[in-house]
Amino acid sequence: MSIRTLLASGGMIASIGLGYGMWSIISPGEERRREMLKNLPEYNSQTMDETRKRTALVMQTLKEASECNENISRGIGTK
């Protein structure tokens, strides 16, 4: 093996090690992960119910709009 190959291999291993080290420093710890999970909407039942109601209203509005003969986009520029 040439010195060039050894240096290239060593550089790649060092950069992978540096990347892993930086990732482990940046990633949140176990306590922070639990805290983040508690703040998700799926974790809180009240927030999840509000999200379901909002989604149902949006779907109802879309259904009514699809059943309607009026098309807003057709009215623009046709007059």
Side-chain angles (χ1 to χ4, degrees):
M1 294 180 84
S2 70
I3 243 184
R4 182 183 229 174
T5 306
L6 289 174
L7 286 175
S9 299
M12 282 192 280
I13 291 171
S15 64
I16 290 171
L18 180 66
Y20 179 75
M22 290 182 73
W23 180 261
S24 64
I25 290 172
I26 293 171
S27 64
E30 189 64 32
E31 288 181 25
R32 177 74 178 129
R33 242 183 244 144
R34 286 185 189 146
E35 183 182 327
M36 288 168 55
L37 284 174
K38 287 180 182 179
N39 293 331
L40 288 176
E42 295 85 14
Y43 193 80
N44 187 349
S45 63
Q46 180 183 2
T47 309
M48 192 61 186
D49 289 340
E50 291 172 1
T51 303
R52 283 191 186 117
K53 288 177 185 177
R54 189 178 319 113
T55 304
L57 286 173
V58 168
M59 294 305 289
Q60 180 183 359
T61 304
L62 288 173
K63 183 179 177 185
E64 290 172 0
S66 69
E67 292 171 350
C68 180
N69 286 335
E70 285 185 35
N71 189 346
I72 296 174
S73 62
R74 287 186 199 156
I76 298 175
T78 58
K79 291 182 179 182

